[in-house]
Amino acid sequence: MTTRAPDEAANPMASQALQRLTLIGLGMTSLYISLTALFFLPPLLSRARVTIGTITNRSAIGMLMLTLTGITLYTLYVAGAILLSRQVLPRRALLIVWGGALLMSGVLLWCYPVTSTDLFDYQFRSRMSVVYNANPYLALPNQFKSDPFFRYLGWPNAPSAYGPLWEDLSWLLVWLGGDSLLSNILLYKLLAIAAHLLSGAVVCAIVRDPRRRLLGAYLWLWSPLALWEFAAVGHNDGLLVLSLVLAIWAVQHDRHWAAVLALTGGALFKFLPALFLPLVVLHWMRRRATWPERGSVFGLSLLLFFVPLALLYAPYWDLPAGFAQLDLGDKLAAIWQGRERTLRNMAVREGFLNASPLAVISYLLREPPSLNAINSVLRGLSLPLANANDVRAAVSGIGSALLGLGLLWQSWHIWYRQRPMQPAFFGLLLWYLLGGSQWFQPWYVLWLLALVALRPHGRSFGWLIAWMMMAQASYLLQYIILPNLGISGQSLQAQVYYLLLIYLLPLIVWLLGWRSTHRPDQRLHRSREPLATAADS
């Protein structure tokens, strides 16, 4: 049963709520204008690797100003979420949400990406292809140090971290942008904004109830973290989010083949959406009555995944000279051998550690006292001694094993409990971020936010908003606090600071919410909460 939007003229409270929502949007926009003025793109473009630390000179006043701006933004954002969760607004409130998202994105479009160099890395690796006809999986940026854009890079010694579909799309952007760095930056940002808005449109298409649709659209489109990471910084993760919500929409309409294609497309941008393919395939197979039908579904899923994978990777694959003249057996051997260099981007990043629980464990175990203790045990068992790299690889293996267990758990629930896609995706993604990954970045929380936007209620978005805010606050730690303290970001001490800053407040908020919902008096009335109903998806 859906909730009808009230007539604004007949409901003065709804009219007041609309005015408040508008004022919240204007307040947030004014703060984004102030940030854009501080980090205005055109004059700063002559400087490479500009950060919030270099602009503020890592001063206490600068950090205080950014802190107050962030707190005010999130206060306004939370106020809007509370307003929409408690008040039924007329339909034109959705137009305000969309208009506000467009306005804020347009402002942040002109902000220098001061918290990440990823946009410059995207651009340079495709520039290697467009200008120098180099393969971004085989060639490294440091081979093109004479290029005028080389000095902007953050990862000059690493191959592309992304899939071939992203490299093809990125090639087109660089070809259109030419030799103008400003044009390239704006094109990448416009793509990120488009992915953000399209994800919001899919959220609106999935959620049927008008009230929950409005709240879900607001949570996604007005998120300070999403607006910053997409419009200001230009991250491409919006394309991953788009693949996830498109897959959920397709399953909702019993178009599992489209869901497989959506996740395959996402995996061809970046590997993460591939994790959810087994869940969709199992859900599809579960809806078939016989095992032959299920086998057909499984075979079709393999084709839908591997055929695009092979076609799009083929132009980038490392093949020997004279490949066409080889016989079939030698060709297959050459293709297999070429995987080592073509896919080395995955192997390179297995050793990356940052701001996650596993990262702290890895740094702790590689400390000399811990390593000595580990080797004492190994020596007593007559096993080879371990070094720091061995420990890091072991922790990485533990993370992979945990991720596999999480996938099995959600698969079991889909097959035996017929769990819907949204909670299954959410559970696996949360498990990945907390226990399966050694590498955490603030914008990763946005993957969860899009899924929460499909089922918005206070118990879910309360702790998630706290997580978004503290994840974004970690930029202050990275660019101002740690440099002022003389602490390397690649140290145990820094990783502990990251862990406490990013995870402690969300954990407290979650515990408080869990405690309130498990009180006897709360359990009796929980079913009366309008936004805590079953999932639309």
Side-chain angles (χ1 to χ4, degrees), residues 239-386:
L239 295 167
L240 276 66
V241 171
L242 183 60
S243 73
L244 296 183
V245 293
L246 278 173
I248 291 173
W249 176 87
V251 170
Q252 185 187 64
H253 290 80
D254 201 21
R255 298 174 183 171
H256 291 78
W257 59 269
V260 172
L261 284 177
L263 293 175
T264 299
L268 289 169
F269 285 115
K270 201 173 181 179
F271 83 93
L272 181 76
L275 297 176
F276 303 92
L277 275 167
L279 303 183
V280 169
V281 174
L282 281 173
H283 192 274
W284 192 3
M285 292 172 63
R286 186 69 176 80
R287 296 173 71 87
R288 296 294 181 263
T290 66
W291 280 105
E293 290 179 314
R294 292 168 180 171
S296 299
V297 163
F298 183 75
L300 178 58
S301 300
L302 291 178
L303 286 176
L304 291 174
F305 178 71
F306 282 107
V307 170
L309 195 74
L311 291 175
L312 287 169
Y313 260 112
Y316 298 100
W317 207 258
D318 182 24
L319 297 175
F323 175 79
Q325 284 71 45
L326 299 176
D327 59 35
L328 179 59
D330 290 337
K331 282 182 178 179
L332 293 176
I335 291 172
W336 177 253
Q337 291 168 3
R339 82 195 188 283
E340 185 173 344
R341 291 193 67 213
T342 309
L343 302 179
R344 64 175 171 164
N345 58 339
M346 298 182 183
V348 166
R349 282 159 178 79
E350 285 179 357
F352 289 173
L353 304 165
N354 186 64
S356 71
L358 277 182
V360 173
I361 293 172
S362 181
Y363 275 98
L364 179 62
L365 293 179
R366 286 185 290 135
E367 289 286 298
S370 302
L371 197 56
N372 290 337
I374 292 171
N375 282 326
S376 296
V377 174
L378 294 176
R379 192 178 294 109
L381 297 173
S382 300
L383 294 174
L385 300 184

Side-chain angles (χ1 to χ4, degrees), residues 41-42 45 109-110 119-120 123 127 149 170 172-191:
L41 177 62
L45 207 53
L109 176 68
W110 295 96
L119 190 152
F120 298 104
Q123 184 268 345
R127 182 174 172 82
F149 299 154
S170 185
L172 178 61
L173 295 181
V174 170
W175 181 78
L176 291 172
D179 290 328
S180 169
L181 184 57
L182 177 60
S183 297
N184 277 278
I185 289 175
L186 293 179
L187 284 170
Y188 277 98
K189 285 190 170 202
L190 287 171
L191 175 64

